[in-house]
Amino acid sequence: MDKTRPFGIARGRELAVDLDELLEACVVIDRDWICRYANEAAGNVTRATPGDLVGQQVLRATPRLAGSEVHARMARGLFGREAARFEAGFPRRDGTTAWFEVSVVPIPEGIAILAVDRSRRRDAEEMVVALERARREMAEAQ
């Protein structure tokens, strides 16, 4: 079995092909916190290749998750079977923050996690706020 293919998911190979084509990062984690599937886009989020993630314990493969909101929501998905959608920020190597819209979805095998990079949108929103603040300050100074 290919290590990057989903583990025990109904429809098997057809679903794997569909998930591989997603632009969103997709990761499947089992109830033992082992990554059972990761598509190529997941590598962009985690800074690891799918082959490096699959078969690994989540916090060993992605230690920056420890103690994070994402980790807490993953736990609630795994053990409380709670679905969640939220935004989460992670520090980049350059000191800025990368923002992701994250969905945690309970599935029979554990949880599926989808993540979409929303950094550009968030950066644009922050720029609009800064420009509006500067405009107000200039108007008040006149």
Side-chain angles (χ1 to χ4, degrees):
M1 176 182 205
D2 181 348
K3 282 183 64 171
T4 62
R5 295 288 177 213
F7 175 76
I9 294 177
R11 287 187 39 214
R13 194 167 191 90
E14 304 102 39
L15 182 60
V17 171
D18 293 343
L19 296 176
D20 286 344
E21 300 304 318
L22 288 176
L23 297 177
E24 296 85 357
C26 180
V27 177
V28 173
I29 297 170
D30 71 17
R31 293 172 190 256
D32 294 321
W33 290 94
I34 304 297
C35 179
R36 295 298 176 184
Y37 171 80
N39 66 1
E40 287 296 322
N44 298 331
V45 173
T46 62
R47 302 182 197 155
T49 67
D52 292 337
L53 296 170
V54 175
Q56 296 297 311
Q57 198 277 339
V58 170
L59 292 181
R60 184 171 300 134
T62 54
R64 66 186 177 147
L65 285 179
S68 71
E69 177 185 6
V70 174
H71 186 252
R73 301 261 185 131
M74 289 167 60
R76 289 197 296 269
L78 275 172
F79 305 112
R81 311 309 291 159
E82 292 179 31
R85 180 172 292 155
F86 56 97
E87 254 189 23
F90 291 99
R92 293 181 180 132
R93 291 183 182 121
D94 67 2
T96 61
T97 300
W99 289 96
F100 296 91
E101 180 179 324
V102 181
S103 296
V104 176
V105 182
I107 59 173
E109 297 78 17
I111 55 174
I113 301 166
L114 298 171
V116 179
D117 190 335
R118 297 292 189 215
S119 300
R120 286 185 179 170
R121 185 201 73 209
R122 183 86 174 224
D123 292 346
E125 289 170 353
E126 289 174 6
M127 178 68 77
V128 168
V129 169
L131 289 170
E132 180 60 26
R133 186 178 323 121
R135 186 196 62 75
R136 271 194 316 264
E137 288 171 1
M138 287 176 56
E140 290 171 4
Q142 292 179 356

